[in-house]
Amino acid sequence: MHRADPAFLRLLKGYDVSELDAHAGTAYGLWPDWRIAYVNPAWFRFADENHGGEQFRDEWSLGSNLLKAMSAALLDFYRKAYSACLEGGRTWTHDYECSS
């Protein structure tokens, strides 16, 4: 299973991706058009723990548009946050409580 687009990893030159890979929370990277370019192992672990199964792996792998996963109530919040990251070339950390 692919977890990173090689072109995306080249953009992270100088950054220790193993830190993201080892992080207990989900971590992911996006292309400017909102497609998923990187996910860490916790991405799939979270899905497995919440019974996402193969359907999750099929629908939310590399190249999937992350915004399609957002509810209407959260879409504007995430779109603004990700836009600021993409425009400013910086990372964003957001802790959230998942009711599942």
Side-chain angles (χ1 to χ4, degrees):
M1 176 171 324
H2 299 288
R3 293 187 310 100
D5 182 320
F8 187 80
L9 291 179
R10 286 192 292 275
L11 295 174
L12 299 178
K13 193 173 190 175
Y15 186 83
D16 187 0
V17 177
S18 66
E19 288 182 28
L20 293 174
D21 287 343
H23 196 279
T26 59
Y28 50 93
L30 299 175
W31 288 117
D33 64 358
W34 311 105
R35 288 179 300 123
I36 299 170
Y38 163 83
V39 296
N40 70 343
W43 175 267
F44 296 108
R45 187 173 52 252
F46 176 84
D48 290 342
E49 290 170 356
N50 290 280
H51 312 292
E54 289 301 316
Q55 180 180 356
F56 178 88
R57 292 176 192 278
D58 292 343
E59 290 184 31
W60 301 111
S61 59
L62 295 185
S64 299
N65 185 319
L66 187 70
L67 292 184
K68 291 182 179 179
M70 307 294 164
S71 68
L74 296 175
L75 186 59
D76 192 49
F77 170 76
Y78 282 104
R79 187 187 311 260
K80 285 179 184 176
Y82 293 144
S83 292
C85 293
L86 291 166
E87 291 168 10
R90 60 183 171 77
T91 61
W92 177 52
T93 300
H94 176 66
D95 293 324
Y96 60 92
E97 172 62 33
C98 180
S99 61
S100 61

